[in-house]
Amino acid sequence: MILKMRLNRSLKKLKKEFDINKNNSKPMKKLLFPIICVAVFTIGCGNEEKTVNEKTEDAKEQRSIKQSTLEELGASIILALKANDSTLLSDLLPEKEDVEQLMIVYAGGENEKKNIVDASEENTDKIRDNTYKAFSKIREKGNKTGIKWEEVIFSNAEYTTKKENNIETTDLKIFFSFKDKKYTIHIAECIKTKRGWLIFDKPQWSKINPL
């Protein structure tokens, strides 16, 4: 839209000068060339900017974090480990607002709900801190085992969901492979929220399995 407005202003100026100089072709030629150059340059810059934006969106998509299913949650955790970027876990961790929304449907007493909400900010902060620390420990454990994290492959996730007091929860086992071995990360509690499945307990290195 901005490029179109700039081009329209240039064309209006061109028409005005043409009306003034319609009986004199030489000044008109001198004016026409720089205006066309400016218009072409402006459009070209706009196309270049669009290309840069498209590349940025592509990069974001390649590192996208999803958690609408437990398989996606498991794959997203492995993606963060591969990239050695714990900040990618941020969208997989609960916030106070998530707990507040859960308490709307939670089939518990009002006093219990209030106590849970009142403690939610402190508890979600602890979950985040513990998860980030666990991330570093898992990476370190893998390094000692000889894993090259950038080469690991997400295999699958195992879980059995249950619904209690209108809240859907599960423990989650995440399997990934490196060369001829399969490894497991265990999360004792994940809870389904409006944002999808979130981590409510720190991930832990579990065991090594032969393929």
Side-chain angles (χ1 to χ4, degrees):
M1 180 61 71
I2 294 174
L3 297 177
K4 186 176 181 181
M5 291 173 63
R6 289 177 181 172
L7 185 56
N8 285 339
R9 286 200 297 267
S10 296
L11 291 175
K12 285 180 181 179
K13 183 177 179 181
L14 176 62
K15 184 177 183 301
K16 182 178 179 181
E17 294 294 338
F18 176 79
D19 291 338
I20 294 173
N21 299 287
K22 60 184 179 180
N23 294 322
N24 191 339
S25 61
K26 289 184 178 180
M28 184 63 202
K29 289 179 181 178
K30 291 181 180 180
L31 176 66
L32 181 61
F33 180 74
I35 290 178
I36 292 175
C37 287
V38 170
V40 171
F41 176 76
T42 303
I43 294 172
C45 288
N47 288 337
E48 183 178 355
E49 181 179 353
K50 182 179 179 181
T51 302
V52 170
N53 288 338
E54 287 176 346
K55 288 180 179 179
T56 302
E57 290 303 316
D58 289 343
K60 287 180 180 179
E61 181 64 25
Q62 290 173 3
R63 292 165 65 85
S64 63
I65 294 297
K66 300 177 182 178
Q67 70 270 24
S68 60
T69 68
L70 288 162
E71 289 283 338
E72 287 182 349
L73 177 63
S76 295
I77 292 170
I78 298 305
L79 173 63
L81 287 165
K82 282 171 65 76
N84 192 21
D85 188 354
S86 61
T87 63
L88 293 177
L89 298 176
S90 178
D91 289 341
L92 309 179
L93 296 167
E95 298 176 355
K96 181 179 179 180
E97 291 76 12
D98 297 306
V99 178
E100 290 173 343
Q101 290 175 352
L102 286 171
M103 289 303 100
I104 294 173
V105 299
Y106 179 64
E110 292 304 316
N111 286 336
E112 182 186 7
K113 290 183 180 182
K114 183 179 182 303
N115 291 336
I116 292 173
V117 170
D118 288 345
S120 61
E121 187 168 1
E122 180 181 354
N123 289 337
T124 53
D125 284 346
K126 284 182 180 178
I127 291 170
R128 285 177 173 270
D129 289 343
N130 289 338
T131 298
Y132 290 137
K133 290 175 182 177
F135 178 90
S136 298
K137 289 181 180 179
I138 291 171
R139 284 273 312 182
E140 183 180 351
K141 179 72 173 180
N143 290 338
K144 290 180 179 178
T145 309
I147 289 177
K148 293 182 179 178
W149 284 104
E150 65 276 10
E151 297 179 13
V152 304
I153 300 172
F154 169 72
S155 300
N156 63 291
E158 287 185 1
Y159 48 87
T160 301
T161 61
K162 61 181 180 179
K163 199 165 189 177
E164 187 174 352
N165 293 326
N166 293 331
I167 305 295
E168 193 170 1
T169 67
T170 189
D171 68 335
L172 177 65
K173 291 181 180 178
I174 305 165
F175 297 92
F176 66 95
S177 61
F178 173 68
K179 292 187 176 180
D180 60 343
K181 292 182 180 178
K182 197 172 187 178
Y183 302 85
T184 311
I185 293 172
H186 180 238
I187 302 175
E189 185 175 35
C190 300
I191 297 179
K192 191 174 186 180
T193 70
K194 282 191 174 182
R195 293 198 291 126
W197 286 95
L198 300 179
I199 300 169
F200 273 77
D201 197 4
K202 63 182 180 182
Q204 298 186 65
W205 180 278
S206 182
K207 58 183 179 179
I208 305 172
N209 308 288
L211 286 176

